Amino acid sequence: MAGRSVVVGVGHYLPKRVVPNSEFEKTLDTTDEWIRTRSGIERRHFAADDETTSDLAAKAAEAALADAGLTADDIDAIVLATSTADLTFPSAATMVQARLGMNRGFAFDVQAVCAGFVYALSNANALVLSGQARRVLVIGAETFSRIMDWTDRSTCVLFGDGAGALVLEGQEGQGTSDDRGILATDLNSDGRYKDLLYVDGGVSTQSTGHLRMQGNQVFRHAVEKLAKTAEVALERAGLTTDDVDWIVPHQANIRIIQGTARKMGLPMDNVVVTVQDHGNTSAASIPLALSVGKQSGQIKQGDLIVTEAIGGGLAWGAVALRW
Ligand SMILES: CC(C)(COP(=O)(O)OP(=O)(O)OC[C@H]1O[C@@H](n2cnc3c(N)ncnc32)[C@H](O)[C@@H]1OP(=O)(O)O)[C@@H](O)C(=O)NCCC(=O)NCCS
């Protein structure tokens, strides 16, 4: 017998405002066609001016709790992945805790940019396996629209806002790869690549700043590192790519998603794709894709899923889990 962190609920929330590519044609030297063919993105959601990351996160968390048939009283911890928290402190996670009416347990944010949800899932799994929490809400939530430079066509057309959440619950398994739940994780970072993707501001430099990216350089690292980390996670679980039902990748760019699947030897039929509707929602993109994938009937109980993500840091990683 072995402990496993099993997904017992999933949900998401997207802000009401949908922005099609054509809207950028009015203010930038760009076209719907360029954005579609280079990134796969067709539209994205942007939060309203008075809507914050913790607002999106709380709504996604409520949806995940409803899906699990649980209430906030059943939850021991909240781990929230974000790089765009409402305030410098407290954490967005504790703000969600209050919003849910959760009066016990603990909550904290994880900051690993686009790899944030993979990092949060891995940490939440460790909390469950070490007995520090039985049920954990794991959330990815972002308002990247707040850190865009609206004059930079090479970045501002690529990102969107949103939130997704999972409820993880500790259950007994057999200790084999047939178990439901998280089977293995793989986390990596390499701070030497800071200049490829960063925000040129922050508390200690006394500004909010804007996202800066050398897109083609990030692209070069992405496919290689994502295929490798996914394969490492699968290997740690005693599995290979042949066992995978779904790759649920970070949704940054359709060409990165296709390149990674190709490198792993899997067809696009085995990939959950939402980038066309959401753009890159950073730490929110994987839980959003898991929620949409379940709602659409693609992901079913017992399916073997590998998630993979890379982002600023560079930070990257993967989680192999059975749904
Ligand atoms: C950003 C990205 C779509 C750009 O595509 P690309 O094929 O690499 O294009 P390049 O950056 O080489 O730029 C090619 C040209 O398109 C132009 N361009 C950039 N954005 C444009 C836009 N929105 N509309 C029209 N032209 C644009 C560039 O200015 C450049 O023009 P130039 O040749 O005259 O200098 C691509 O690099 C990418 O997706 N990278 C990964 C980024 C990512 O997903 N990061 C997040 C990881 S978490």
Side-chain angles (χ1 to χ4, degrees), residues 29-31 34-35 38 114 153-154 157-159 197 213 215-216 218-219 250 252-253 255-256 280 310-311:
D29 181 15
T30 190
T31 60
W34 192 97
I35 301 169
R38 297 296 180 107
C114 296
R153 66 179 182 172
S154 71
V157 301
L158 300 175
F159 293 87
L197 178 50
M213 177 167 70
N216 47 9
V218 175
F219 202 111
H250 169 49
N253 182 308
R255 292 186 299 143
I256 294 175
N280 182 347
I310 187 165

Side-chain angles (χ1 to χ4, degrees), residues 33-309:
E33 217 245 318
W34 192 97
I35 301 169
R36 270 174 205 256
T37 51
R38 297 296 180 107
S39 73
I41 298 164
E42 297 172 20
R43 60 192 71 81
R44 75 287 291 138
H45 294 246
F46 284 152
D49 288 346
D50 61 352
E51 204 171 30
T52 62
T53 292
S54 70
D55 293 333
L56 310 187
K59 286 178 175 152
E62 281 162 3
L65 285 171
D67 186 51
L70 297 170
T71 70
D73 291 338
D74 300 312
I75 301 299
D76 304 311
I78 299 175
V79 183
L80 194 162
T82 189
S83 299
T84 49
D86 306 25
L87 302 174
T88 301
F89 71 76
S91 65
T94 54
M95 295 168 79
V96 172
Q97 184 187 23
R99 279 275 294 271
L100 296 177
M102 180 181 154
N103 300 323
R104 60 178 197 87
F106 60 97
F108 62 96
D109 289 357
V110 164
Q111 210 274 51
V113 205
C114 296
F117 193 76
V118 166
Y119 272 62
L121 209 48
S122 181
N123 277 282
N125 181 48
L127 291 173
V128 170
L129 297 190
S130 62
Q132 294 176 81
R134 174 153 180 260
R135 292 201 191 95
V136 185
L137 253 176
V138 192
I139 308 171
E142 302 279 16
T143 47
F144 260 51
S145 62
R146 303 282 151 75
I147 50 168
M148 290 298 110
D149 174 351
W150 299 112
T151 65
D152 178 7
R153 66 179 182 172
S154 71
T155 54
C156 74
V157 301
L158 300 175
F159 293 87
D161 301 337
L166 300 182
V167 182
L168 282 187
E169 181 180 274
Q171 296 183 4
E172 285 301 316
Q174 298 303 313
T176 72
S177 59
D178 290 335
D179 288 348
R180 288 186 65 206
I182 294 178
L183 301 174
T185 70
D186 180 52
L187 302 183
N188 311 270
S189 64
D190 189 338
R192 290 174 299 173
Y193 295 116
K194 183 212 97 190
D195 291 344
L196 299 191
L197 178 50
Y198 66 103
V199 171
D200 60 1
V203 181
S204 196
T205 50
Q206 305 188 42
S207 66
T208 303
H210 293 116
L211 182 145
R212 306 293 174 202
M213 177 167 70
Q214 295 175 37
N216 47 9
Q217 295 293 321
V218 175
F219 202 111
R220 281 195 8 224
H221 284 280
V223 171
E224 184 99 358
K225 289 182 165 49
L226 289 172
K228 173 85 177 143
T229 185
E231 281 162 9
V232 168
L234 288 168
E235 198 182 313
R236 284 186 185 149
L239 298 165
T240 71
T241 52
D242 290 343
D243 300 302
V244 172
D245 293 299
W246 296 106
I247 304 176
V248 182
H250 169 49
Q251 310 280 325
N253 182 308
I254 191 66
R255 292 186 299 143
I256 294 175
I257 293 171
Q258 289 164 339
T260 305
R262 200 177 309 122
K263 209 164 173 61
M264 291 173 68
L266 286 167
M268 285 302 287
D269 294 346
N270 294 91
V271 186
V272 176
V273 180
T274 55
V275 69
Q276 69 282 357
D277 296 324
H278 303 162
N280 182 347
T281 57
S282 193
S285 92
I286 288 175
L288 266 164
L290 287 168
S291 184
V292 169
K294 188 198 168 192
Q295 268 184 1
S296 70
Q298 288 177 292
I299 298 173
K300 297 190 179 65
Q301 191 167 315
D303 282 355
L304 196 281
I305 293 173
V306 64
T307 65
E308 30 87 345

